[in-house]
Amino acid sequence: TEERTFVAIKPDGVQRKLIGEIVARFEKKGLKLVGCKLIQPSRKLAEKHYAEHKGKPFYEGLLDFITSGPVFAMVWEGKEVVSTSRSLIGLTDPKKSPMNTIRGDFGIDVGRNTIHGSDSVESAQREIKLWFSKNELITSSITI
Ligand code: CMP
């Protein structure tokens, strides 16, 4: 099977009605959507997702923000999809992220940066398992 990655439009992006625009960028890049759902994450899910940031000064605020409203969680598939997705997404800080990247175009600040994408194949596997059950993901499909 091809590489998969976890991508989530954060509460700021959902609230500002950017789901369609962002999904379109991934689709036009040739990536394949294999699962998606709108979900307001529990504190527990958010803590697990951001476990590596525990203890950092922004950790509690990060949890407050990501649990503050619906998140559009997705799994995308394709060749080198982890790095391709990160190119589409841009840099963590929207101010430093180039134009034509999602965060460069839509991000407000380092917290409200519109979107999350897994930073490696290993974190992608962990995050997909955390957010999705197997029956929520497409395993095979015919091309029409
Ligand atoms: P994300 O890709 O979701 O992974 C960790 C998140 O922590 C990151 O995007 C930022 O939104 C957030 N983050 C990183 N650094 C800071 C910071 N200095 N202040 C607030 N949030 C931060």
Side-chain angles (χ1 to χ4, degrees), residues 15-117:
Q15 190 167 21
R16 290 163 59 215
K17 309 196 183 317
L18 295 171
I19 293 174
E21 163 83 32
I22 290 170
V23 169
R25 291 187 183 205
F26 280 78
E27 288 186 325
K28 287 179 195 169
K29 191 67 188 171
L31 301 174
K32 181 179 161 189
L33 184 63
V34 294
C36 66
K37 61 181 169 187
L38 194 63
I39 173 181
Q40 184 158 357
S42 65
R43 196 86 181 172
K44 198 168 170 178
L45 174 57
E47 283 171 1
K48 285 182 184 165
H49 177 75
Y50 283 129
E52 65 174 299
H53 297 294
K54 193 172 179 176
K56 292 185 185 168
F58 58 85
Y59 177 70
E60 290 299 329
L62 184 57
L63 296 186
D64 289 343
F65 173 61
I66 204 72
T67 58
S68 68
V71 164
F72 193 66
M74 299 166 275
V75 177
W76 289 90
E77 186 179 274
K79 193 164 139 281
E80 295 177 48
V81 67
V82 173
S83 64
T84 303
S85 298
R86 289 180 70 78
S87 308
L88 290 174
I89 290 169
L91 307 176
T92 303
D93 185 351
K95 284 196 301 290
K96 295 176 185 143
S97 198
M99 287 300 144
N100 301 321
T101 65
I102 292 165
R103 284 172 175 160
D105 291 350
F106 306 120
I108 296 163
D109 54 44
V110 79
R112 292 170 295 172
N113 62 359
T114 314
I115 187 168
H116 166 86

